[in-house]
Amino acid sequence: MNLDEYVRSLRGEAMGHHHGGPGRYEQKFKAFPISFLPKEKHSLESGGKILLPPSALNALSRLNIQYPMLFEISNPISGKKSHCGVLEFIAEEGICYLPLWMMQNLQLKEGEFIDIKNATLAKGTFVKIQPRTSNFIDISNPKAVLENSLRKFATLTKDDEIMIDYNNTKYYLKVVELKPANAISIIEADVSVDFAPPMDSKEATSPSTSSPGSHVSGPSKGLTFGPASTSAKPIPGGKKKKDESDSDSDSDDEPKFKAFVGTGARLDGKVGTPLGTSPKTLNTNNNNNNSTNNNNNNYTKNEDIKFKSFSGKGYSLKD
C-alpha cells in the first residue's frame, strides 16, 4: 500500500473489504475498547478475543477459513503486532472492539485504524509467564487461576502483557517465552506453564549471572503444570524431601528420649533421689553375715533342746 492509499484509508474512503490473495483475509478497522460496549460485555476485557462486524464473517466464509479463526493484528503507525481470536461478529461495520490491554500493547488509541489478517499458528507446548506484581503469586492457587483464565484466550504472543481478572482484582502477566514459536495457539493444546519471578521481586531485579550468549530456560523456582510437563517444579512453600544421609545426621543431632529421668517427690517432704541415678550402695555383706549368724545361733539353740516323749506334768480328774 502506497502513501496515497494509506491516507485514503484514514479518511474512511477505503473501508471496503479486500483480500490479499486466495485464502487470505486482510482488512482495516477502527479500533475501540470493550468498555464502549454495553456493561454485560465488559467481562471480555480479561480475555484475548475481539469482536468483528457480520460482514467479516461473510468474507471469511467465502475464503473457506476454518475454525479456529486466528488473526494477526497490527498498528500500521507503530508497527506493533500481536495475535488474537474472535469471539463474536456483532460489531458495527468498520469497527473492531478489543480488550484495553491489547490496545495498550499495540499502542493504539480510540478510533485509530488497525490491520487484521487471518493467521495460522502452531499449537503451543510451553509458555513462561512473569507477573507484574507479587500479589498474583500470593493467591492460594495461582495455577488453577491461570488455567481457568487462559480458557478465554485463543493465542499468546511473546512480549505481550495480558490481563486476567480474579476476585475483582486485575492481574497483569507478561509473556516472556513461548515454544515452539513466538506466537502460538492454545486452543485444545497441552501447554506447560512456568512462572518467572515477579517484576517487583528482588530475584527479578538482581543482575543475571549467566555468561553472554547463554540461555536460561527458566528460574530455579517456579511452577510447572499441564499434561505436557516432563518434570515437576517445586511449588513455593512446599516441603522438600530429605536424603537418607540428611535424616541420619538430623537424628544424631536430635536429643534422644530418656525414660524415668528427673527428681522424685516424697510424702515426708524430704528431697528424693533423682530419677535415673543409682541409690547409695548398702553394705549388704555385713547384713548378710549378721543374718546368717543369727540363723546359725537359733539353729544351735534348737538343736540343744531334744524332744522327750511322755514328759511333763500329768493331771487326774479325781484331784
Side-chain angles (χ1 to χ4, degrees):
M1 178 184 296
N2 57 34
L3 182 60
D4 293 335
E5 291 175 341
Y6 179 70
V7 172
R8 286 198 303 271
S9 66
L10 292 179
R11 292 176 179 174
E13 298 176 6
M15 293 301 297
H17 295 283
H18 60 281
H19 312 299
R24 183 72 176 173
Y25 175 82
E26 184 177 352
Q27 174 61 30
K28 283 186 177 292
F29 293 95
K30 284 187 176 182
F32 289 95
I34 297 291
S35 57
F36 277 45
L37 292 171
K39 190 174 182 180
E40 57 267 18
K41 296 292 185 180
H42 289 183
S43 60
L44 302 179
E45 285 282 6
S46 58
K49 299 180 180 180
I50 61 175
L51 301 181
L52 292 174
S55 59
L57 176 59
N58 296 332
L60 291 167
S61 300
R62 289 195 303 268
L63 293 172
N64 295 323
I65 295 178
Q66 303 297 322
Y67 177 87
M69 294 181 179
L70 306 179
F71 301 93
E72 176 190 285
I73 54 178
S74 59
N75 184 342
I77 299 177
S78 66
K80 294 286 186 178
K81 295 182 179 181
S82 185
H83 297 81
C84 65
V86 59
L87 181 63
E88 294 177 311
F89 296 88
I90 59 173
E92 297 88 342
E93 289 300 325
I95 293 178
C96 172
Y97 291 101
L98 302 86
L100 181 61
W101 64 264
M102 195 177 293
M103 295 186 64
Q104 292 173 345
N105 287 334
L106 296 173
Q107 299 178 357
L108 276 172
K109 296 180 181 179
E110 300 171 3
E112 290 186 342
F113 280 94
I114 182 176
D115 290 335
I116 297 183
K117 304 175 183 179
N118 68 304
T120 301
L121 302 178
K123 287 189 177 182
T125 58
F126 174 80
V127 56
K128 182 185 289 185
I129 299 293
Q130 184 179 29
R132 181 188 292 181
T133 58
S134 301
N135 59 349
F136 180 76
I137 301 297
D138 295 336
I139 298 176
S140 60
N141 195 345
K143 167 198 166 186
V145 173
L146 185 60
E147 282 182 329
N148 185 62
S149 299
L150 287 181
R151 295 175 183 174
K152 300 179 181 179
F153 290 75
T155 66
L156 291 175
T157 305
K158 185 179 179 181
D159 295 331
D160 273 2
E161 191 173 49
I162 65 176
M163 189 273 288
I164 63 174
D165 192 334
Y166 177 70
N167 281 348
N168 296 324
T169 302
K170 295 180 180 179
Y171 298 96
Y172 290 88
L173 312 172
K174 184 176 182 180
V175 182
V176 296
E177 185 179 353
L178 292 172
K179 292 180 182 180
N182 290 336
I184 60 173
S185 168
I186 59 173
I187 297 176
E188 299 179 355
D190 295 333
V191 183
S192 175
V193 182
D194 185 34
F195 285 134
M199 298 180 186
D200 61 351
S201 66
K202 294 181 179 179
E203 187 176 353
T205 55
S206 61
S208 175
T209 57
S210 58
S211 60
S214 63
H215 176 71
V216 181
S217 60
S220 57
K221 298 179 181 179
L223 294 176
T224 301
F225 61 92
S229 303
T230 56
S231 60
K233 300 280 185 177
I235 297 178
K239 296 182 179 179
K240 299 181 179 178
K241 294 183 180 180
K242 295 184 177 180
D243 297 335
E244 294 181 357
S245 58
D246 295 340
S247 61
D248 294 340
S249 60
D250 293 344
S251 61
D252 294 339
D253 296 337
E254 294 180 356
K256 296 181 179 180
F257 172 75
K258 295 181 180 180
F260 304 107
V261 295
T263 303
R266 294 177 47 154
L267 296 177
D268 56 7
K270 295 181 180 181
V271 179
T273 303
L275 297 177
T277 60
S278 301
K280 294 182 179 180
T281 304
L282 300 177
N283 190 359
T284 56
N285 293 332
N286 293 335
N287 293 337
N288 291 336
N289 293 334
N290 293 333
S291 62
T292 303
N293 294 333
N294 292 334
N295 291 335
N296 293 335
N297 293 332
N298 293 334
Y299 179 76
T300 303
K301 292 178 181 179
N302 292 334
E303 288 292 335
D304 295 340
I305 302 174
K306 295 183 179 181
F307 175 73
K308 294 180 180 181
S309 60
F310 302 106
S311 60
K313 186 178 180 181
Y315 293 95
S316 176
L317 295 175
K318 294 181 180 181
D319 297 339

